[in-house]
Amino acid sequence: MSANTFFTLQEAQQFCGVARFNRYMRDANNDLGTAMLICKSNHELAGILHEQIGYVEICVRNSIDLELRKLALKEKQNEEWTNPLYTPDLVKDLIENQIKQAREIAVHSHDGRSVNHDDILSKLMWGTWVKLVGSSETKNSNRIQQKLWKDAVGNAFPFVNCSKMNKEYDEDRRIIAKNLIYIKEIRNKAAHFDNLYNIARGKRNLTNALFTLL
């Protein structure tokens, strides 16, 4: 039974949204049945991607958190770096707004009750870690990330490069940055109902990126 047995074009557009479903129609050369099959497979793949990326995000988050706790303890004498009183200076320069937003979300989800560091940490997004690590290039615009990488964040990824000589350069940070940004782009595509066909074809690239971060 074909997919268009169940939906007319108008019903599919109403369900998915006109702009979103029209992406599938363009990819399917305006064949409704093919567009519905693409839509269905996209939703299934998006679910898998969100689950697997979510596991990796937890690992990345917890590893970076551990190092930022150490930095906050050293710099501010308290490891709760999401507390504005104890946020290390470089971290504040980069993600002060993200921490504030995460705190607001955490407080709202706790009905106004007091929240702790772990509550706030759990509300930080993938983009927070991208921001902390910076772009995949070495340039003046990400010199804060370069400094933070050397001081703390780089210790969260101790096996990215086995050569100790490269620790004096920015190569390790660029490798992690490239993979963080790549995964963020894929996650956004899945969330926005883009056609994930190329992602499915390039699953080896996705797998390599996830395991590089792990």
Side-chain angles (χ1 to χ4, degrees):
M1 186 175 291
S2 64
N4 62 1
T5 300
F6 302 102
F7 288 96
T8 66
L9 175 60
Q10 290 73 25
E11 288 171 335
Q13 290 174 330
Q14 184 178 11
F15 179 76
C16 294
V18 174
R20 284 177 173 172
F21 191 76
N22 282 351
R23 296 177 187 176
Y24 300 129
M25 289 295 289
R26 288 194 298 270
D27 292 334
N29 293 321
N30 292 318
D31 180 80
L32 178 59
T34 302
M36 289 299 302
L37 290 174
I38 294 174
C39 180
K40 182 175 184 294
S41 64
N42 256 31
H43 278 69
E44 293 173 347
L45 179 55
I48 294 171
L49 290 175
H50 280 299
E51 180 181 13
Q52 298 304 318
I53 292 173
Y55 293 144
V56 175
E57 181 177 9
I58 290 172
C59 294
V60 169
R61 180 196 70 194
N62 290 350
S63 295
I64 293 178
D65 173 49
L66 178 62
E67 300 306 323
L68 294 186
R69 283 176 181 264
K70 295 176 183 177
L71 181 64
L73 187 61
K74 178 181 178 181
E75 187 176 309
K76 305 292 185 178
Q77 291 73 56
N78 190 301
E79 66 175 14
E80 293 194 357
W81 59 269
T82 57
N83 186 318
L85 295 175
Y86 311 124
T87 306
D89 294 338
L90 293 176
V91 177
K92 182 176 293 187
D93 289 341
L94 292 171
I95 61 167
E96 183 177 19
N97 288 336
Q98 285 91 334
I99 295 174
K100 180 180 178 181
Q101 292 169 3
R103 177 181 295 276
E104 291 172 353
I105 295 171
V107 170
H108 179 75
S109 64
H110 283 71
D111 296 323
R113 290 173 291 163
S114 61
V115 296
N116 59 32
H117 171 77
D118 289 334
D119 295 325
I120 300 168
L121 182 69
S122 69
K123 303 303 180 184
L124 291 169
M125 305 295 185
W126 185 272
T128 302
W129 319 122
V130 173
K131 183 72 173 176
L132 282 175
V133 176
S135 69
S136 57
E137 299 175 301
T138 301
K139 49 188 181 181
N140 288 335
S141 61
N142 60 26
R143 62 185 182 277
I144 297 177
Q145 286 96 337
Q146 295 174 44
K147 178 71 165 57
L148 183 61
W149 178 270
K150 291 180 180 179
D151 290 352
V153 174
N155 295 326
F157 304 92
F159 304 112
V160 110
N161 196 313
C162 294
S163 174
K164 291 185 178 180
M165 290 180 60
N166 287 317
K167 300 300 179 183
E168 299 300 322
Y169 302 98
D170 199 37
E171 180 181 350
D172 290 0
R173 188 196 62 79
R174 294 200 308 266
I175 291 172
I176 294 301
K178 179 180 178 181
N179 286 282
L180 283 173
I181 294 169
Y182 174 62
I183 297 301
K184 180 187 177 183
E185 292 173 350
I186 290 178
R187 186 175 184 177
N188 287 345
K189 284 181 178 292
H192 297 157
F193 295 94
D194 285 342
N195 192 340
L196 300 174
Y197 175 72
N198 288 332
I199 303 301
R201 287 189 63 191
K203 57 185 179 293
R204 184 180 296 274
N205 293 332
L206 173 60
T207 302
N208 288 342
L210 293 173
F211 274 102
T212 296
L213 294 175
L214 289 176

